Amino acid sequence: MCGIVGYVGQGKCKKYVIDGLKRLEYRGYDSAGFVCIDQKHKQFNFFKKVGHVQELEKALHDLELKSSIGIGHSRWATHGIVNELNTHPHFNCDKSIAVVHNGIVESYEEIRKKLIESRHEFESSTDTEVVAHLLESLIKTHKTLKAAIVDLVRQLKGAYALVFLFEQYPDQLLLIRKRSPLLIGVGDDEMFIASDVLAFCDQTNKVIFMPEESFAIVKKDQIELFDFEGKALIIKPQEIDFKHDQVDKQGFEHYMLKEIYEQKRSIDRSISFCKFIGSNNFNNLTHISDNFLTQEAKIQYQDSIWSQLGITSEKIKELKYIYLIAAGTSWHACRIAQFFFENICKIPTYVYLASEFGYMPFFPEENSLAIFVTQSGETADTLEALRVVNSCNVFTVAITNVPSSSIVREANGFLPMQAGPEISVASTKAFSTQVSVLFWLANRVALEKKLIDIEVMKAAEEDLLLAAEVLEISIESYKWEIKQTLAKKYSKYNRFIFLGRHISYPFALEAALKLKEISYIFAQCYPAGELKHGPIALIDKETPVILFSSLNDLIYQKLVANAQEVKARNGHLVTFVFEGQQELIELSDYSFIVSRVNPFLGPLAMTGLMQFFIYQITKELDRPIDRPRNLAKSVTVE
Ligand code: G6P
């Protein structure tokens, strides 16, 4: 959602900014813009286009733009419709200050009103434009640019990553960060600016993550960094190990398909990482390579997992409550994990939707742990919830796929997943890796609390690897049938009902979300036991019911009864079952049969097949699978 790319250096501004914007396309956007200072005429040159970055690229293609400083932006509309006027960059009255912005300026209406009274004129409906005008008026009333910036940030409420370009200062960019990420890549006589490291990761590996509430004046060979009071900050670049080839499609038609197939490896890698954390060679490790997997496993189960999480073994032993907080697909992973923590660790576990959290009473308990689960580490709702929990003195831990993300800097401790970059907007491998890491963590907590012994811990790890294998093998078993007949058949329906019970209910929620977000087919999900309380009225031949089975015998029997309710009303029933679940198979119009695994890992075993089926249905409908309409990968606004 929204991307910022900027450059100051050696004349390759246009190329870097356009390439950078393309790399951030996966985050989701609806229009893109670019501004630079033309070296010859020493003035702004700017372009805005609705639609893909390619449109902007085409507009710039034939222009001889010699420029060594500029910024680009991809916009995901929040304030004002999608059109060129609302596309960034935005400008002040005489178009001498250009700005691009990620986030939301909450105080923009009152500021805009005051500025209109003092004769500022606005072209767009955005919150961003007021920032350019406000800075213009503050520059006039303050002695220095720095003093004007300090006043500016005092007046701007909300979340923002802002990058400014000034005609008056053609060799510098101004960067401001509050609650929205902004990074500086340090090159050789050039600086790369972006809201996501992917934009410049093959230009330099030296990165400065701008601290929360800071601003920077960036020239090609100099960075001055300040806090919001204007006090100078010293911060050294960090070295990152991230290559753009990690995000190639590698021959797959879509990132989503590639990522579905990467799941087994992501899970294996993540579990290896969890097992090895803290052994001397791997201290402070945030990312592992595949070579790592070939090393002999020495299972030590050291306390170092707790130092990675920033917590003590004593605190884990005393744990009385767990809170799991997340959004979207990550929330579904948490709903599944609730069963792990409550059953394996015997700890009452509450799962919260991040977007609801700030508006509900929260009763922090002593000896509790709040775990925030987020693929991107940048979801605004999740970050906001984290800030609330941090202020309640509850210990916070982030589980994320992006070690350089904002959540890592704000949580008390973090556990990096090893899923690798996930590019497709619909989450696949991040989901299965989250479920796996949470299952591992639940067992590790149980071991610490002496609820299980080391043999059970090892067996749990084996179970995870087996479930990951089943996840992959099941796709292979049904691949051809799905491609040749099933996808075509089911892509013709306009609506679906999804059912699950117990641990298969949150999984059914995830399946319904997957179908909705990429195929745009309407899907409604219910706990199967609720069917009789209303949704049963919807059962007809035109509304296939997709039911996910369970390996818990009692739940299975209940699901058989629910399947009978569907069939008794002439419903069309598709089931995802486990080997030997004959009654369900016989009741179904079609069954996907998956090998048996540890009952807690049933959803994980079915994940690949469910995702592949939905992917192929969507392909039949010819939708933009990796970038569905209206959606963003990283939702950085509340
Ligand atoms: C967006 C994405 C979803 C994701 C959700 C939470 O809606 O499209 O795929 O599950 O954000 O993202 P997070 O990065 O916090 O897991």
Side-chain angles (χ1 to χ4, degrees), residues 588-608:
S588 307
D589 292 87
Y590 189 84
S591 276
F592 293 102
I593 307 169
V594 172
S595 303
R596 285 176 173 260
V597 293
N598 176 323
F600 287 117
L601 299 178
L604 189 63
M606 288 178 169
T607 295

Side-chain angles (χ1 to χ4, degrees), residues 88-223:
H88 302 208
H90 291 286
F91 300 90
N92 61 326
C93 291
D94 65 5
K95 292 213 164 40
S96 60
I97 302 173
V99 64
V100 299
H101 167 217
N102 284 1
I104 289 180
V105 175
E106 286 161 10
S107 48
Y108 90 102
E109 287 210 65
E110 59 187 272
I111 300 173
R112 189 182 161 106
K113 236 191 244 156
K114 277 191 210 149
L115 288 167
I116 288 174
E117 280 162 20
S118 43
R119 294 175 191 277
H120 284 259
E121 283 177 19
F122 292 88
E123 291 180 348
S124 77
S125 332
T126 64
D127 51 339
T128 307
E129 195 183 1
V130 302
V131 183
H133 288 262
L134 181 59
L135 186 58
E136 173 186 29
S137 78
L138 293 173
I139 287 174
K140 285 182 189 147
T141 54
H142 288 77
K143 282 197 185 127
T144 62
L145 176 62
K146 204 169 114 185
I149 299 166
V150 171
D151 201 356
L152 176 82
V153 295
R154 199 182 45 76
Q155 298 191 42
L156 296 182
K157 304 224 163 32
Y160 41 86
L162 294 157
V163 181
F164 296 84
L165 182 59
F166 303 87
E167 259 182 10
Q168 201 191 338
Y169 309 109
D171 61 342
Q172 71 181 42
L173 293 170
L174 164 65
L175 279 57
I176 307 182
R177 177 213 148 121
K178 181 181 177 188
R179 296 186 171 184
S180 189
L182 202 49
L183 289 65
I184 307 167
V186 181
D188 211 0
D189 248 2
E190 55 187 349
M191 301 285 179
F192 306 92
I193 313 299
S195 50
D196 181 330
V197 74
L198 261 183
F200 59 63
C201 59
D202 54 359
Q203 304 281 348
T204 176
N205 65 346
K206 293 195 195 78
V207 181
I208 293 174
F209 296 94
M210 283 187 65
E212 177 58 8
E213 303 210 345
S214 65
F215 66 90
I217 309 278
V218 181
K219 297 183 178 169
K220 66 178 182 178
D221 51 3
Q222 189 192 54
I223 299 168

